[in-house]
Amino acid sequence: MPELPEVEALADFLTEHLVGRRVARLLPVAVSVLKTYDPPPGAVEGAGVTAVRRHGKFLDVETDGGLHLVVHLARAGWLQWRDRLPDGPPRPGKGPLALRVALETGEGFDLTEAGTQKRLAVYVVRDPAEVPGIAHLGPDPLAEDFTEDRFAALLQGERRRLKGALRDQSLIAGVGNAYSDEILHAARMSPFKLAASLTAEETHRLYAALRGTLGEAVERARGLAAGRLKAEKKGGLRVHGRTGEPCPVCGDTIREVSFSDSSLQYCPTCQTGGKPLADRRLSRLLK
């Protein structure tokens, strides 16, 4: 899933390639992709792009007609830039193409989605706050006003485990499964630790890991073309997706806890005092 650093890089990339150009056609291919119908998607055709912004994990393409094309790539969505789009409209079918945006210059981009769970979402709205996911976003962790005191206040009384709290978009915007693993590894904390139980020193450590991990990932992705961002993200991860590999800090074997539709990775030595966490799905299989 694209998270804050990748979406930030996509916003920078689209700012360079879209701003100052006009939308010629908006072509939905998958029935499931459009989440709004008023204004109609064709209302952005002929409009000039004035800005591209990020809200959490949402992309927001603003036009001079007062409308916004908002995109959430979900778990398996991606954006593919094309210097020259194919002639003729795309054909609906079983392929990954969900929506095409064509510019008057002949350039444009495709939104694609792999897999069978079609969650990629596109909205045409007058105000980004009309998108429910944006309206309920928590603060951006890289914003200047996201101070350590503000972070500590968010965690007060939070009875969930750290992994779940970090991924809650209404608490903190932009962090998903991969970077929550990376942040907790950098902070040397168990993903199952209760958020409200943190001491002042632990809160400071987690805040520094949150800002540092995301900030470094943004810098690594900055300036990269859209097609290179997935590889950059994977190459920069230290524990997420690396089950069975040695921890780059201590050399212990990276472990995994599996859930019904996702998994987390962690280092026992760095994060849990050397004790492996119970993998409930594996435990059920062994009974």
Side-chain angles (χ1 to χ4, degrees):
M1 175 185 289
E3 299 178 39
L4 185 156
E6 295 77 49
V7 179
E8 180 77 11
L10 284 173
D12 288 345
F13 177 85
L14 291 179
T15 295
E16 180 181 350
H17 288 76
L18 292 183
V19 172
R21 295 174 172 85
R22 291 197 172 274
V23 177
R25 297 290 304 279
L26 183 70
L27 301 165
V29 179
V31 175
S32 61
V33 69
L34 278 174
K35 305 303 180 184
T36 55
Y37 301 95
D38 181 22
V44 300
E45 295 179 353
V49 177
T50 56
V52 182
R53 297 184 174 89
R54 175 185 63 79
H55 310 282
K57 292 186 278 188
F58 289 84
L59 279 168
D60 172 14
V61 179
E62 183 178 349
T63 71
D64 58 10
L67 297 180
H68 297 252
L69 177 67
V70 177
V71 175
H72 191 281
L73 294 169
R75 174 172 292 184
W78 197 245
L79 184 149
Q80 298 181 347
W81 179 262
R82 296 180 179 270
D83 291 326
R84 182 69 192 180
L85 288 170
D87 295 330
R91 296 180 180 180
K94 296 182 179 179
L97 182 60
L99 182 138
R100 174 168 291 166
V101 176
L103 304 179
E104 290 183 343
T105 58
E107 303 165 289
F109 63 86
D110 289 340
L111 296 178
T112 62
E113 186 171 24
T116 59
Q117 295 184 351
K118 301 303 182 183
R119 297 177 179 175
L120 188 151
V122 176
Y123 310 79
V124 177
V125 293
R126 298 173 181 86
D127 186 332
E130 295 173 26
V131 177
I134 293 179
H136 297 103
L137 280 178
D140 192 292
L142 293 184
E144 290 185 6
D145 63 353
F146 189 77
T147 63
E148 186 174 332
D149 286 344
R150 188 176 185 188
F151 179 59
L154 289 174
L155 297 182
Q156 284 183 356
E158 180 57 67
R159 301 303 302 173
R160 286 176 295 177
R161 294 166 174 175
L162 285 176
K163 174 75 175 180
L166 288 174
R167 293 183 62 189
D168 183 350
Q169 300 303 294
S170 66
L171 190 72
I172 300 170
V175 179
N177 195 30
Y179 286 109
S180 58
D181 283 352
E182 297 298 299
I183 290 162
L184 290 167
H185 179 256
R188 308 188 305 280
M189 291 183 188
S190 169
F192 287 175
K193 188 177 182 65
L194 292 179
S197 71
L198 296 186
T199 65
E201 188 278 330
E202 288 172 329
T203 300
H204 172 76
R205 206 163 75 223
L206 185 59
Y207 174 77
L210 172 66
R211 299 265 291 191
T213 299
L214 294 177
E216 290 166 9
V218 167
E219 288 305 313
R220 289 196 305 269
R222 195 179 301 281
L224 293 181
R228 295 176 57 195
L229 287 172
K230 285 185 179 181
E232 169 55 42
K233 177 181 181 178
K234 184 175 181 180
L237 298 175
R238 307 178 80 181
V239 292
H240 183 80
R242 300 193 180 278
T243 303
E245 298 181 21
C247 170
V249 174
C250 72
D252 193 2
T253 301
I254 295 170
R255 305 292 187 97
E256 177 176 305
V257 176
S258 299
F259 304 98
S260 59
D261 61 349
S262 65
S263 63
L264 65 84
Q265 286 79 43
Y266 68 99
C267 170
T269 294
C270 292
Q271 296 176 253
T272 61
K275 298 179 181 179
L277 298 172
D279 188 335
R280 292 176 178 81
R281 187 169 70 175
L282 180 60
S283 299
R284 286 198 300 270
L285 291 174
L286 294 175
K287 286 182 178 180

